[in-house]
Amino acid sequence: MKTIRVGIAGFGMSAQMFHAPFIVADERFELCKFFLRSGEASKEEYPNAAIVRAYEELLADDIDLVQIQRRVLANDFNLPESMASRGERCL
């Protein structure tokens, strides 16, 4: 079975407490990237996951699924629609 490569947009409380830990705990998933506007908050806990600064970078390299945090979504309502129009999957 193919591993599902995941990117997370944001690293707020939900990503830290719920999303990222459950993704890395399930062998069917690989946490590959975080989209962060600034800082490197995810690096200490997830050193193997790249940090990118643009949505386009988040979607590069065969990412299969993007999980979008509410705060990121609040700043860019067009992101899910843009992803869906390109055939990308997001939560």
Side-chain angles (χ1 to χ4, degrees):
M1 181 166 91
K2 180 182 183 273
T3 301
I4 299 169
R5 297 172 47 86
V6 180
I8 297 179
F11 194 62
M13 185 183 73
S14 293
Q16 293 175 42
M17 303 281 296
F18 305 110
H19 303 292
F22 285 103
I23 289 167
V24 297
D26 191 324
E27 62 190 33
R28 296 173 294 178
F29 298 95
E30 178 186 358
L31 181 54
C32 299
K33 295 182 186 181
F34 286 95
F35 165 72
L36 304 176
R37 286 190 170 85
S38 62
E40 295 189 351
S42 63
K43 204 47 128 174
E44 185 175 326
E45 189 71 27
Y46 304 100
N48 294 328
I51 295 173
V52 297
R53 303 292 183 201
Y55 292 126
E56 295 78 20
E57 293 177 81
L58 184 63
L59 301 174
D61 301 327
D62 298 325
I63 292 295
D64 301 307
L65 176 68
V66 173
Q67 198 280 319
I68 305 170
Q69 300 299 301
R70 182 184 58 83
R71 179 176 246 171
V72 173
L73 184 58
N75 291 323
D76 191 348
F77 289 115
N78 297 322
L79 180 60
E81 183 178 328
S82 169
M83 292 175 63
S85 71
R86 295 187 311 200
E88 304 287 347
R89 294 175 177 89
C90 66
L91 297 173

